[in-house]
mmCIF file of all heavy atoms in Angstrom:
data_model
loop_
_atom_site.group_PDB
_atom_site.id
_atom_site.type_symbol
_atom_site.label_atom_id
_atom_site.label_comp_id
_atom_site.label_asym_id
_atom_site.label_seq_id
_atom_site.Cartn_x
_atom_site.Cartn_y
_atom_site.Cartn_z
ATOM 1 N N VAL C 1115 103.871 94.977 109.921
ATOM 2 C CA VAL C 1115 103.585 93.781 110.745
ATOM 3 C C VAL C 1115 102.181 93.978 111.424
ATOM 4 O O VAL C 1115 101.308 93.145 111.488
ATOM 5 C CB VAL C 1115 104.644 93.463 111.757
ATOM 6 C CG1 VAL C 1115 104.177 92.235 112.721
ATOM 7 C CG2 VAL C 1115 105.886 93.043 111.060
ATOM 8 N N ILE C 1116 102.085 95.214 112.015
ATOM 9 C CA ILE C 1116 100.824 95.567 112.740
ATOM 10 C C ILE C 1116 99.642 95.490 111.703
ATOM 11 O O ILE C 1116 98.533 94.945 112.008
ATOM 12 C CB ILE C 1116 100.934 96.924 113.391
ATOM 13 C CG1 ILE C 1116 101.947 96.880 114.469
ATOM 14 C CG2 ILE C 1116 99.556 97.332 113.930
ATOM 15 C CD1 ILE C 1116 102.338 98.272 115.121
ATOM 16 N N GLY C 1117 99.773 96.115 110.560
ATOM 17 C CA GLY C 1117 98.730 96.244 109.582
ATOM 18 C C GLY C 1117 98.377 94.796 109.076
ATOM 19 O O GLY C 1117 97.207 94.456 108.911
ATOM 20 N N GLU C 1118 99.412 94.027 108.866
ATOM 21 C CA GLU C 1118 99.083 92.561 108.505
ATOM 22 C C GLU C 1118 98.266 91.823 109.478
ATOM 23 O O GLU C 1118 97.287 91.090 109.159
ATOM 24 C CB GLU C 1118 100.487 91.776 108.279
ATOM 25 C CG GLU C 1118 101.262 92.214 107.089
ATOM 26 C CD GLU C 1118 102.569 91.549 107.138
ATOM 27 O OE1 GLU C 1118 102.687 90.252 107.298
ATOM 28 O OE2 GLU C 1118 103.647 92.145 106.961
ATOM 29 N N GLU C 1119 98.551 91.994 110.781
ATOM 30 C CA GLU C 1119 97.856 91.268 111.810
ATOM 31 C C GLU C 1119 96.430 91.815 111.948
ATOM 32 O O GLU C 1119 95.454 91.115 112.186
ATOM 33 C CB GLU C 1119 98.594 91.308 113.088
ATOM 34 C CG GLU C 1119 98.525 90.031 113.918
ATOM 35 C CD GLU C 1119 99.122 88.799 113.196
ATOM 36 O OE1 GLU C 1119 100.211 88.942 112.687
ATOM 37 O OE2 GLU C 1119 98.493 87.798 113.269
ATOM 38 N N VAL C 1120 96.351 93.054 111.744
ATOM 39 C CA VAL C 1120 94.873 93.735 111.705
ATOM 40 C C VAL C 1120 94.045 93.048 110.587
ATOM 41 O O VAL C 1120 92.956 92.720 110.702
ATOM 42 C CB VAL C 1120 94.988 95.290 111.609
ATOM 43 C CG1 VAL C 1120 93.573 95.848 111.350
ATOM 44 C CG2 VAL C 1120 95.640 95.878 112.815
ATOM 45 N N ASN C 1121 94.734 92.943 109.405
ATOM 46 C CA ASN C 1121 93.943 92.431 108.285
ATOM 47 C C ASN C 1121 93.756 90.926 108.468
ATOM 48 O O ASN C 1121 92.592 90.443 107.971
ATOM 49 C CB ASN C 1121 94.959 92.556 107.043
ATOM 50 C CG ASN C 1121 94.982 94.059 106.573
ATOM 51 O OD1 ASN C 1121 94.132 94.855 107.014
ATOM 52 N ND2 ASN C 1121 95.852 94.412 105.715
ATOM 53 N N LYS C 1122 94.525 90.236 109.179
ATOM 54 C CA LYS C 1122 94.283 88.782 109.482
ATOM 55 C C LYS C 1122 92.996 88.723 110.376
ATOM 56 O O LYS C 1122 92.191 87.763 110.252
ATOM 57 C CB LYS C 1122 95.388 88.116 110.137
ATOM 58 C CG LYS C 1122 96.582 87.938 109.150
ATOM 59 C CD LYS C 1122 97.813 87.271 109.828
ATOM 60 C CE LYS C 1122 98.906 87.065 108.836
ATOM 61 N NZ LYS C 1122 100.164 86.529 109.464
ATOM 62 N N THR C 1123 92.955 89.694 111.294
ATOM 63 C CA THR C 1123 91.804 89.817 112.202
ATOM 64 C C THR C 1123 90.485 89.967 111.336
ATOM 65 O O THR C 1123 89.525 89.361 111.622
ATOM 66 C CB THR C 1123 91.897 90.989 113.209
ATOM 67 O OG1 THR C 1123 93.155 90.741 113.874
ATOM 68 C CG2 THR C 1123 90.801 91.026 114.207
ATOM 69 N N ARG C 1124 90.637 90.919 110.417
ATOM 70 C CA ARG C 1124 89.502 91.200 109.562
ATOM 71 C C ARG C 1124 89.010 89.984 108.788
ATOM 72 O O ARG C 1124 87.894 89.700 108.527
ATOM 73 C CB ARG C 1124 89.782 92.382 108.644
ATOM 74 C CG ARG C 1124 90.066 93.641 109.335
ATOM 75 C CD ARG C 1124 90.801 94.709 108.582
ATOM 76 N NE ARG C 1124 89.966 95.316 107.513
ATOM 77 C CZ ARG C 1124 90.401 96.157 106.606
ATOM 78 N NH1 ARG C 1124 91.683 96.394 106.502
ATOM 79 N NH2 ARG C 1124 89.547 96.706 105.686
ATOM 80 N N LEU C 1200 93.816 89.164 127.979
ATOM 81 C CA LEU C 1200 92.777 89.676 127.056
ATOM 82 C C LEU C 1200 91.725 88.514 126.904
ATOM 83 O O LEU C 1200 92.034 87.442 126.598
ATOM 84 C CB LEU C 1200 93.426 89.989 125.729
ATOM 85 C CG LEU C 1200 94.697 90.887 125.740
ATOM 86 C CD1 LEU C 1200 95.205 90.993 124.334
ATOM 87 C CD2 LEU C 1200 94.323 92.173 126.335
ATOM 88 N N SER C 1228 84.131 88.788 116.561
ATOM 89 C CA SER C 1228 85.229 89.719 116.270
ATOM 90 C C SER C 1228 86.131 90.067 117.439
ATOM 91 O O SER C 1228 87.309 90.333 117.297
ATOM 92 C CB SER C 1228 84.581 91.011 115.783
ATOM 93 O OG SER C 1228 83.858 90.821 114.544
ATOM 94 N N GLY C 1229 85.612 90.054 118.683
ATOM 95 C CA GLY C 1229 86.483 90.268 119.857
ATOM 96 C C GLY C 1229 87.425 89.155 119.997
ATOM 97 O O GLY C 1229 88.516 89.395 120.353
ATOM 98 N N GLY C 1230 86.974 87.877 119.770
ATOM 99 C CA GLY C 1230 87.815 86.763 119.869
ATOM 100 C C GLY C 1230 88.907 86.821 118.792
ATOM 101 O O GLY C 1230 90.072 86.470 119.054
ATOM 102 N N ALA C 1231 88.550 87.273 117.567
ATOM 103 C CA ALA C 1231 89.530 87.306 116.476
ATOM 104 C C ALA C 1231 90.532 88.374 116.851
ATOM 105 O O ALA C 1231 91.740 88.198 116.644
ATOM 106 C CB ALA C 1231 88.771 87.741 115.233
ATOM 107 N N ALA C 1232 90.116 89.508 117.443
ATOM 108 C CA ALA C 1232 91.087 90.556 117.838
ATOM 109 C C ALA C 1232 92.087 90.034 118.978
ATOM 110 O O ALA C 1232 93.189 90.364 118.880
ATOM 111 C CB ALA C 1232 90.275 91.748 118.342
ATOM 112 N N VAL C 1233 91.549 89.308 119.839
ATOM 113 C CA VAL C 1233 92.437 88.712 120.871
ATOM 114 C C VAL C 1233 93.421 87.779 120.308
ATOM 115 O O VAL C 1233 94.686 87.852 120.620
ATOM 116 C CB VAL C 1233 91.559 88.070 121.964
ATOM 117 C CG1 VAL C 1233 92.436 87.219 122.929
ATOM 118 C CG2 VAL C 1233 90.819 89.088 122.866
ATOM 119 N N ILE C 1234 93.020 86.883 119.446
ATOM 120 C CA ILE C 1234 93.885 85.905 118.807
ATOM 121 C C ILE C 1234 95.034 86.598 118.186
ATOM 122 O O ILE C 1234 96.221 86.283 118.280
ATOM 123 C CB ILE C 1234 93.123 85.007 117.853
ATOM 124 C CG1 ILE C 1234 92.145 84.033 118.639
ATOM 125 C CG2 ILE C 1234 94.015 84.180 116.971
ATOM 126 C CD1 ILE C 1234 91.245 83.361 117.799
ATOM 127 N N HIS C 1235 94.728 87.673 117.379
ATOM 128 C CA HIS C 1235 95.745 88.243 116.542
ATOM 129 C C HIS C 1235 96.485 89.384 117.294
ATOM 130 O O HIS C 1235 97.650 89.684 116.865
ATOM 131 C CB HIS C 1235 95.110 88.725 115.212
ATOM 132 C CG HIS C 1235 94.932 87.586 114.302
ATOM 133 N ND1 HIS C 1235 95.864 86.944 113.648
ATOM 134 C CD2 HIS C 1235 93.622 87.010 113.916
ATOM 135 C CE1 HIS C 1235 95.282 85.958 112.842
ATOM 136 N NE2 HIS C 1235 93.993 86.001 113.063
ATOM 137 N N THR C 1236 96.028 89.864 118.385
ATOM 138 C CA THR C 1236 96.835 90.791 119.229
ATOM 139 C C THR C 1236 97.883 89.957 119.909
ATOM 140 O O THR C 1236 99.060 90.372 119.969
ATOM 141 C CB THR C 1236 95.927 91.429 120.304
ATOM 142 O OG1 THR C 1236 94.949 92.247 119.572
ATOM 143 C CG2 THR C 1236 96.721 92.351 121.192
ATOM 144 N N VAL C 1237 97.592 88.755 120.425
ATOM 145 C CA VAL C 1237 98.568 87.943 121.108
ATOM 146 C C VAL C 1237 99.667 87.513 120.043
ATOM 147 O O VAL C 1237 100.806 87.532 120.327
ATOM 148 C CB VAL C 1237 97.917 86.685 121.738
ATOM 149 C CG1 VAL C 1237 99.051 85.799 122.433
ATOM 150 C CG2 VAL C 1237 96.937 87.062 122.785
ATOM 151 N N LEU C 1239 100.396 89.200 117.392
ATOM 152 C CA LEU C 1239 101.185 90.292 117.050
ATOM 153 C C LEU C 1239 102.233 90.646 118.151
ATOM 154 O O LEU C 1239 103.307 90.949 117.785
ATOM 155 C CB LEU C 1239 100.209 91.483 116.830
ATOM 156 C CG LEU C 1239 100.825 92.848 116.573
ATOM 157 C CD1 LEU C 1239 101.677 92.828 115.332
ATOM 158 C CD2 LEU C 1239 99.693 93.983 116.379
ATOM 159 N N ALA C 1240 101.892 90.512 119.367
ATOM 160 C CA ALA C 1240 102.878 90.695 120.441
ATOM 161 C C ALA C 1240 104.026 89.769 120.297
ATOM 162 O O ALA C 1240 105.134 90.166 120.507
ATOM 163 C CB ALA C 1240 102.182 90.483 121.804
ATOM 164 N N ILE C 1311 86.950 92.099 125.368
ATOM 165 C CA ILE C 1311 86.618 92.789 124.101
ATOM 166 C C ILE C 1311 85.471 91.961 123.480
ATOM 167 O O ILE C 1311 85.592 90.740 123.239
ATOM 168 C CB ILE C 1311 87.841 92.828 123.105
ATOM 169 C CG1 ILE C 1311 89.052 93.309 123.803
ATOM 170 C CG2 ILE C 1311 87.445 93.557 121.877
ATOM 171 C CD1 ILE C 1311 90.005 92.430 124.313
ATOM 172 N N SER C 1347 96.564 105.263 118.314
ATOM 173 C CA SER C 1347 96.431 104.049 117.365
ATOM 174 C C SER C 1347 95.396 104.207 116.271
ATOM 175 O O SER C 1347 95.594 103.585 115.194
ATOM 176 C CB SER C 1347 96.051 102.795 118.224
ATOM 177 O OG SER C 1347 94.715 103.035 118.774
ATOM 178 N N ASP C 1349 92.337 103.441 116.838
ATOM 179 C CA ASP C 1349 91.133 102.635 117.382
ATOM 180 C C ASP C 1349 90.472 103.556 118.465
ATOM 181 O O ASP C 1349 90.784 103.337 119.673
ATOM 182 C CB ASP C 1349 91.592 101.298 117.999
ATOM 183 C CG ASP C 1349 91.689 100.275 116.854
ATOM 184 O OD1 ASP C 1349 90.963 100.294 115.928
ATOM 185 O OD2 ASP C 1349 92.506 99.357 117.045
ATOM 186 N N ILE C 1403 85.597 96.565 126.724
ATOM 187 C CA ILE C 1403 85.504 97.232 125.506
ATOM 188 C C ILE C 1403 84.296 96.587 124.691
ATOM 189 O O ILE C 1403 84.289 95.475 124.311
ATOM 190 C CB ILE C 1403 86.791 97.117 124.647
ATOM 191 C CG1 ILE C 1403 88.036 97.683 125.426
ATOM 192 C CG2 ILE C 1403 86.561 97.868 123.347
ATOM 193 C CD1 ILE C 1403 89.256 97.553 124.659
ATOM 194 N N MET C 1405 82.892 96.656 121.463
ATOM 195 C CA MET C 1405 83.374 97.126 120.207
ATOM 196 C C MET C 1405 82.298 96.976 119.050
ATOM 197 O O MET C 1405 82.638 97.028 117.887
ATOM 198 C CB MET C 1405 84.600 96.318 119.697
ATOM 199 C CG MET C 1405 84.382 94.755 119.570
ATOM 200 S SD MET C 1405 85.684 93.839 118.781
ATOM 201 C CE MET C 1405 85.323 94.447 117.005
ATOM 202 N N ALA C 1422 86.326 95.713 110.553
ATOM 203 C CA ALA C 1422 87.177 96.812 110.604
ATOM 204 C C ALA C 1422 88.526 96.407 111.362
ATOM 205 O O ALA C 1422 89.566 97.218 111.198
ATOM 206 C CB ALA C 1422 86.539 98.032 111.341
ATOM 207 N N GLY C 1423 88.554 95.253 112.071
ATOM 208 C CA GLY C 1423 89.834 94.849 112.694
ATOM 209 C C GLY C 1423 90.044 95.596 113.967
ATOM 210 O O GLY C 1423 91.131 95.539 114.531
ATOM 211 N N ALA C 1424 89.021 96.231 114.570
ATOM 212 C CA ALA C 1424 89.261 96.879 115.908
ATOM 213 C C ALA C 1424 89.139 95.859 116.958
ATOM 214 O O ALA C 1424 88.607 94.721 116.753
ATOM 215 C CB ALA C 1424 88.069 97.886 116.174
ATOM 216 N N PRO C 1425 89.808 96.044 118.089
ATOM 217 C CA PRO C 1425 90.730 97.156 118.459
ATOM 218 C C PRO C 1425 92.189 96.697 118.588
ATOM 219 O O PRO C 1425 92.798 96.919 119.541
ATOM 220 C CB PRO C 1425 90.149 97.603 119.755
ATOM 221 C CG PRO C 1425 89.770 96.366 120.432
ATOM 222 C CD PRO C 1425 89.352 95.420 119.396
ATOM 223 N N VAL C 1426 92.648 95.976 117.561
ATOM 224 C CA VAL C 1426 94.014 95.380 117.646
ATOM 225 C C VAL C 1426 95.105 96.454 117.843
ATOM 226 O O VAL C 1426 95.947 96.281 118.576
ATOM 227 C CB VAL C 1426 94.285 94.480 116.355
ATOM 228 C CG1 VAL C 1426 95.740 93.988 116.347
ATOM 229 C CG2 VAL C 1426 93.319 93.293 116.348
ATOM 230 N N ARG C 1427 94.940 97.546 117.156
ATOM 231 C CA ARG C 1427 95.932 98.537 117.177
ATOM 232 C C ARG C 1427 96.098 99.226 118.560
ATOM 233 O O ARG C 1427 97.103 99.375 119.055
ATOM 234 C CB ARG C 1427 95.712 99.743 116.135
ATOM 235 C CG ARG C 1427 95.957 99.217 114.641
ATOM 236 C CD ARG C 1427 95.465 100.226 113.685
ATOM 237 N NE ARG C 1427 94.012 100.354 113.729
ATOM 238 C CZ ARG C 1427 93.357 101.497 113.422
ATOM 239 N NH1 ARG C 1427 93.988 102.500 112.904
ATOM 240 N NH2 ARG C 1427 92.022 101.554 113.380
ATOM 241 N N LEU C 1428 94.865 99.461 119.159
ATOM 242 C CA LEU C 1428 94.829 99.958 120.518
ATOM 243 C C LEU C 1428 95.460 98.897 121.524
ATOM 244 O O LEU C 1428 96.274 99.330 122.442
ATOM 245 C CB LEU C 1428 93.364 100.131 120.964
ATOM 246 C CG LEU C 1428 93.223 100.872 122.351
ATOM 247 C CD1 LEU C 1428 91.907 101.627 122.398
ATOM 248 C CD2 LEU C 1428 93.012 99.740 123.419
ATOM 249 N N LEU C 1429 95.119 97.678 121.398
ATOM 250 C CA LEU C 1429 95.557 96.679 122.289
ATOM 251 C C LEU C 1429 97.110 96.528 122.241
ATOM 252 O O LEU C 1429 97.799 96.328 123.288
ATOM 253 C CB LEU C 1429 94.879 95.323 122.073
ATOM 254 C CG LEU C 1429 93.353 95.261 122.360
ATOM 255 C CD1 LEU C 1429 92.727 93.960 121.968
ATOM 256 C CD2 LEU C 1429 93.113 95.512 123.850
ATOM 257 N N ILE C 1430 97.714 96.521 121.023
ATOM 258 C CA ILE C 1430 99.075 96.325 120.945
ATOM 259 C C ILE C 1430 99.824 97.622 121.558
ATOM 260 O O ILE C 1430 100.918 97.416 122.117
ATOM 261 C CB ILE C 1430 99.568 96.135 119.467
ATOM 262 C CG1 ILE C 1430 100.941 95.467 119.513
ATOM 263 C CG2 ILE C 1430 99.623 97.415 118.599
ATOM 264 C CD1 ILE C 1430 100.887 94.023 120.142
ATOM 265 N N LYS C 1431 99.258 98.814 121.513
ATOM 266 C CA LYS C 1431 99.906 99.975 122.131
ATOM 267 C C LYS C 1431 99.722 99.853 123.555
ATOM 268 O O LYS C 1431 100.669 100.157 124.304
ATOM 269 C CB LYS C 1431 99.184 101.272 121.634
ATOM 270 C CG LYS C 1431 99.369 101.576 120.172
ATOM 271 C CD LYS C 1431 100.813 101.764 119.831
ATOM 272 C CE LYS C 1431 101.072 102.096 118.369
ATOM 273 N NZ LYS C 1431 102.597 102.019 118.098
ATOM 274 N N LEU C 1432 98.671 99.280 124.095
ATOM 275 C CA LEU C 1432 98.526 98.937 125.479
ATOM 276 C C LEU C 1432 99.661 97.946 125.933
ATOM 277 O O LEU C 1432 100.344 98.235 126.938
ATOM 278 C CB LEU C 1432 97.140 98.401 125.739
ATOM 279 C CG LEU C 1432 96.911 97.899 127.208
ATOM 280 C CD1 LEU C 1432 96.829 99.042 128.208
ATOM 281 C CD2 LEU C 1432 95.759 96.989 127.237
ATOM 282 N N LEU C 1433 99.801 96.956 125.237
ATOM 283 C CA LEU C 1433 100.859 95.839 125.615
ATOM 284 C C LEU C 1433 102.258 96.474 125.499
ATOM 285 O O LEU C 1433 103.122 96.111 126.286
ATOM 286 C CB LEU C 1433 100.726 94.690 124.759
ATOM 287 C CG LEU C 1433 99.453 93.940 124.867
ATOM 288 C CD1 LEU C 1433 99.306 92.774 123.909
ATOM 289 C CD2 LEU C 1433 99.172 93.458 126.313
#
Side-chain angles (χ1 to χ4, degrees):
V1115 174
I1116 295 170
E1118 287 173 49
E1119 218 61 47
V1120 172
N1121 289 343
K1122 289 176 183 177
T1123 306
R1124 296 162 76 187
L1200 307 178
S1228 295
V1233 165
I1234 289 168
H1235 286 287
T1236 298
V1237 178
L1239 179 55
I1311 307 100
S1347 65
D1349 274 330
I1403 302 178
M1405 61 165 289
V1426 172
R1427 290 171 295 156
L1428 182 152
L1429 294 174
I1430 202 64
K1431 291 302 176 190
L1432 172 73
L1433 295 177

